[in-house]
Each structure stands twice: as C-alpha cells, then as structure tokens.
Amino acid sequence: MSYESTVDALYQLGHELAGAPSHKFDLAHMRALLEAMGNPQRRYASVLIAGTNGKGSTAATLASILQVAGYKTALYTSPHLVRINERIRVDGQPAGDIEFAAAYEHVERIAHSLAEDKTLPWHPSFFEMLTAMAFELFARAGVRIAVLEVGMGGRLDATNVVDPLISIITDISLDHQKFLGNTIAEIAAEKAGIIKPAGTVVTLPQHPAANDVIGHAILDREAKAISAVKHMPPISPGAASTMGEGLGVHNQYPLDVMGQTIQVDSPLPGRHQLRNLALAITTAEELAGFGFPVTPKQIEQGIRDMRWPGRFQVIPAHTNRLQRELIFDVAHNPDGAWALRSALNEHIGDRPVTLVFGAMQDKAFLEMIQILFPIASQVVVTHAKNPRAASTAQLAEAAHQVGTEVTETISVELAVLCAGELAAPDGVIVITGSIFVVGEAMQALQIAT
C-alpha cells in the first residue's frame, strides 16, 4: 500500500468520537490485538502522560531531553498538524511514509484475522490502529524509551495498556464532557486512570477537585507521588518570558536542578508552559531511578533544542508571504483560550490583532469566542477540512452573541489570505481555535512543521 492509501484506509474507520462511542473504549480489545502482535509495547520502557492541556508540550520536552541524553527515544502524540505520521516520531523524526504504510499492513492483517474469528467483536478503531502501529514501529526501530501522550481521558485510552515507568498528569479542565464527565472531578477520575498500582506519578497542584481525585487515586493504588513544584521557576512568572529579535517568544530563567544551576531557555512561551516544563524536568530527574540517568546540562540542552510547532509559534513578518507577524496557537478549549489571551496580552502590547478562528463542533467554541474575540480588531472565521468542524454560520452566530462582527470564509487558505488583507502593517495575525485550522494554515503558508 502507498502512504496515501494507508491514510485513506485509516480515515475510513471513522473518527474516534463519532456516533455512539461506548463500544469503542475497551482495553481488553487493545490487549488482544497487541498480544497477537507479540506485545511490541513491552520491548522498551515508557512514560505515559494524561491531562486536558499541556500533555503534548510536556511529552515533547521530555522526549527531547531523553534524546539529548543519548537514549533512542520515541514520541507518540495526537492529533497532528499536517501529516498523520507526525504523531509517531523516533529521535524527533516522523515515521517515514514507507514504514508507516508497512506498519499499517502488518497491524491490519492481524486485526482483520482477529475480527474474522471473533477474537475481537469488531475491527479496531482509528486510534487503536494508530496506537498499535506506533508501538510496532517503535519496537522495530529499537527505541529504549517511549514518551506517550494519551489521546483522550486516560483510564480507557488505547495507550493505557503500557506499564509505564512514570505516569504524568498535566492540568485538568473541562473538555470532552460527553465522554469523560461533566465535572472536573469526573474528568480527573478518567485522567487518574493512568496511575498504576505501586507506580510513580508526577504532577502539580491544580484545581481542588482534581487534586482530591488524584490524591485519592494515589493513596488507593499505593503509588508514589512526586511533586514538580520544586522545578517551578524561583522568579515571578511574568519575568520568565522574553522576546528576542527574530527569535519569537521564549521562557528563560535560571533553575536549580540536581544541585546545579541551569539556564532554562524554552521555545514554548506563556506562563502556563512553566508548569509543563516543571513536569518534564521533574520526570527526567526521576527517570534516573529507573536506569535512565540524565545530567543537568542534558536537561538544559534538551529544553533548548525541543521543537513543538503551533504552540504560540511566532513567525516574523519578513519571513512569510503575508508580510505580517503571525502567531499560531492550537488553543482548542476555554483554558487554552485564556492561556493564549494571557500570552498575547503579555507579548504584543497595543498592536492590533487580526484573528483567524475555526473550531470543532464538539468544543466549547462559544466560550472561546467570548474569551478571544474581544481582543481582536477584526475576526475571520473559517472551518477546517474535517467533518467535525463547526460551520462559519455557527461561529458567526456565536460571535453575534458577544457583539463581534466577523468575516466568513469557506476555507482556511482563504481565511489567512483575507486576514493578510485586513491586518494593519504593524498588526499581528493570530491563527487559532483548532489544531486542524492551525495545521491547514501552516500548510497554506508553507510554514515548516
């Protein structure tokens, strides 16, 4: 099979969240598939990360640190910006098209056989297939350790079949309520499902309801809890971010790690990223107890070298064809929108904002609109090439409720071109609302991912 036909076959399985989902989330099915594959996920160590916001940034930072330390490191994240094999990386490089297609054929043969003989009651879902492919590709590549981001929730997520050295729980807020619950406590219970009996979990204090649930899960499973508070910067968060000429926005601050002072210089800006950095640093430190020692200098370099596109990514005006400063951010829920607004307030001053916005129907886009649209001089609404995308009419109606007039466009490519026409010469174009919108915009403007 070609890469293109492989991607088509995966998408034909339908989106994970489409229709009645109850039958899709059953770890027994995932375990049966992996057993038939020879359990590739057991051939390397792993770290498993759950949370509502920040898990991808934490995963990418930790993987970069481990790679710098000399370990062949895998990274599994979701969703992708442009190409689906971005989700499956070894030492920072996405799976090759040929390898990706071969892994699909291997997993598909086994899955089809299991479904035919009723070992599986139905064919594995899109995410189950992709996760199994990732585990297989990592085993074939001979990785030492894999950093795995949970797709959704945690307790019943396909990634939760691994026995991680360490589990990480990032910040929890309301998202995917239809599937995970309507309260912070209910959602936290799903995320805490990645905490293993007698396992190790790294986390930070957060919403009281989440703290309570996570704390009880740790006690009930007799797990070891490690707080990342010690690696929050010892300076006021507002002083931690800087903007360098032509370099975009960075979080920069000194930090004591293992008795040595390192200079944190992360390309991930915003105060919220300080928490994700602390989680990654703490986990890297703890992995020494599991046979993966890293030095403070390796942590410093891993943070500096990390690349995670679309997270308040600043593209200077002179380097793109719109000739306006661009900011890409994959804020896709209200908490993410607040983090983006805070970062914009801190970094762009009084310059006018032209906002390009599109969201998925199953997201709280009205709340995101209420948070983001008031800070924009003009707003262009659009929709990604995704069946879950909210229509521009839906977004325009929501904007009307908050008193904002918008320009509707039929594609992301047209939206960014329209924004280029509307934006003031000294203005900033911010593209956000959905990772799919950000990905299509980066593709249209030929921004490397």
Side-chain angles (χ1 to χ4, degrees):
M1 294 178 67
S2 68
Y3 172 78
E4 291 74 19
S5 59
T6 297
V7 173
D8 287 343
L10 283 167
Y11 282 138
Q12 284 171 18
L13 294 173
H15 191 273
E16 210 70 15
L17 306 184
S22 58
H23 72 278
K24 293 185 178 179
F25 303 105
D26 187 334
L27 292 187
H29 301 162
M30 189 67 185
R31 291 191 178 104
L33 174 61
L34 292 171
E35 180 71 27
M37 292 170 56
N39 286 309
Q41 79 283 4
R42 294 180 184 169
R43 296 182 216 164
Y44 41 83
S46 60
V47 173
L48 187 58
I49 306 176
T52 305
N53 291 308
K55 57 186 186 289
S57 299
T58 303
T61 303
L62 178 60
S64 182
I65 292 169
L66 290 168
Q67 183 183 340
V68 165
Y71 305 110
K72 196 163 192 177
T73 303
L75 175 63
Y76 182 54
T77 58
S78 62
H80 55 279
L81 276 171
V82 176
R83 304 183 86 236
I84 197 169
N85 47 354
E86 293 170 21
R87 302 179 183 217
I88 301 172
R89 294 178 179 265
V90 174
D91 281 347
Q93 296 303 308
D97 291 357
I98 294 173
E99 291 79 11
F100 186 88
Y104 170 79
E105 290 189 86
H106 174 72
V107 177
E108 173 58 26
R109 279 195 299 270
I110 294 171
H112 181 76
S113 175
L114 293 175
E116 271 202 333
D117 67 16
K118 305 302 182 185
T119 301
L120 292 178
W122 41 72
H123 192 283
S125 67
F126 171 90
F127 191 72
E128 287 169 334
M129 287 290 292
L130 203 57
T131 302
M133 289 165 60
F135 291 162
E136 178 68 20
L137 284 165
F138 296 158
R140 291 182 184 184
V143 304
R144 289 282 310 282
I145 187 167
V147 181
L148 310 172
E149 177 191 358
V150 164
M152 185 184 73
R155 182 175 63 92
L156 296 177
D157 189 80
T159 59
N160 199 28
V161 295
V162 301
D163 185 18
L165 302 180
I166 297 176
S167 300
I168 305 173
I169 298 180
T170 67
D171 289 344
I172 295 170
S173 61
L174 294 176
D175 200 9
H176 293 303
Q177 289 98 309
K178 178 180 176 182
F179 304 92
L180 303 180
N182 293 313
T183 67
I184 294 291
E186 289 173 333
I187 293 172
E190 294 297 320
K191 310 290 186 185
I194 71 166
I195 300 173
K196 305 299 182 180
T200 299
V201 58
V202 174
T203 191
L204 278 167
Q206 49 178 298
H207 191 286
N211 289 339
D212 184 61
V213 169
I214 294 168
H216 278 95
I218 290 168
L219 291 173
D220 292 345
R221 295 165 210 171
E222 299 182 337
K224 177 184 178 183
I226 306 295
S227 173
V229 167
K230 61 183 177 179
H231 289 320
M232 290 294 289
I235 56 177
S236 63
S241 295
T242 64
M243 179 177 287
E245 181 64 33
L247 298 176
V249 187
H250 287 228
N251 270 312
Q252 296 176 323
Y253 49 91
L255 190 69
D256 182 84
V257 176
M258 305 179 201
Q260 294 184 33
T261 299
I262 68 170
Q263 182 65 32
V264 172
D265 182 5
S266 169
L268 297 177
R271 299 183 183 189
H272 60 291
Q273 291 290 1
L274 304 181
R275 296 174 59 83
N276 304 327
L277 286 164
L279 290 167
I281 294 167
T282 302
T283 303
E285 199 174 52
E286 288 297 317
L287 281 170
F290 297 93
F292 291 90
V294 298
T295 67
K297 284 299 180 184
Q298 288 166 341
I299 290 174
E300 181 181 75
Q301 184 182 339
I303 293 170
R304 186 172 58 248
D305 291 352
M306 190 274 290
R307 295 295 177 265
W308 193 226
R311 281 73 182 176
F312 206 88
Q313 183 177 355
V314 179
I315 308 295
H318 68 275
T319 64
N320 70 83
R321 64 190 178 104
L322 297 184
Q323 295 295 294
R324 303 290 187 278
E325 184 171 298
L326 306 176
I327 296 177
F328 296 94
D329 193 82
V330 297
H332 60 275
N333 56 38
D335 270 21
W338 277 120
L340 171 58
R341 179 167 171 166
S342 174
L344 289 170
N345 287 342
E346 184 174 353
H347 295 299
I348 68 171
D350 296 328
R351 286 183 293 163
V353 171
T354 299
L355 188 69
V356 174
F357 183 86
M360 298 294 106
Q361 291 186 43
D362 56 351
K363 296 293 185 176
F365 59 79
L366 175 58
E367 292 177 62
M368 297 172 67
I369 284 170
Q370 291 170 332
I371 295 163
L372 293 173
F373 283 23
I375 67 171
S377 300
Q378 51 263 321
V379 177
V380 181
V381 295
T382 189
H383 59 85
K385 298 170 187 173
N386 188 301
R388 291 169 52 219
S391 69
T392 57
Q394 289 174 301
L395 299 177
E397 172 58 28
H400 182 71
Q401 293 180 42
V402 299
T404 301
E405 295 298 319
V406 302
T407 301
E408 298 181 50
T409 57
I410 61 172
S411 72
V412 173
E413 183 174 10
L414 287 175
V416 295
L417 294 175
C418 179
E421 294 291 330
L422 293 173
D426 65 337
V428 180
I429 298 174
V430 178
I431 302 167
T432 190
S434 163
I435 192 168
F436 302 106
V437 168
V438 170
E440 287 185 28
M442 296 178 84
Q443 191 171 28
L445 295 171
Q446 300 181 321
I447 306 296
T449 60

